[in-house]
Amino acid sequence: MITDYIRTLYAYNAWANGQILDTAAPLDPAQLFAGGGASFDSIHATLVHTLGAQWLWLSRWQGVSPRAVLNPADFPDLGSIRARWEQVERDTQVFVDALDASSLGRIVEYTNTADQPNAYPLWQIMLHQVNHATQHRSEVALLLTQFGHSPGELDLLRYLELSRT
């Protein structure tokens, strides 16, 4: 059951990320980089952070502890963010497809970017990653809405309704 739950959450996460990226597509550079009060100030910075967190956690699940987060300066526009995110989503999907109940219970040991060791069961970290992305998607959704581009409903049940049709 937990494996199905995780797979559903990650399918939802990919869909919701895509909704945000699609909604951000018509923004001009001034809007993409405008300060707006989100955790990372701009839509651009918040998207790079959200992408970077997914990449960072996936790396850790695979036994690699990156020492730095992604640099927003390496992503000059939404197209570069989307291209990298598509690869991270593909890699995440491969990882999720290979999961079983026993692998979800394994302890993932990693060193964070502050050089501190940590360890958690994989299932807990995977839930954290989706929850973290939801927080930042919500911030971006607010900023997008302020620019007249609401992403609409991003709820899990909305995703489930759409995936049934």
Side-chain angles (χ1 to χ4, degrees), residues 27-36 41-45 72 75-78:
L27 297 180
D28 62 42
Q31 293 170 318
L32 186 63
F33 288 92
D41 193 39
S42 69
I43 291 171
H44 174 268
F75 300 89
D77 55 28
L78 189 63

Side-chain angles (χ1 to χ4, degrees), residues 3 7 92-101 103-104:
T3 306
R7 287 190 177 125
T92 300
Q93 188 61 50
V94 168
F95 184 86
V96 169
D97 286 347
L99 292 173
D100 58 30
S103 63
L104 284 166

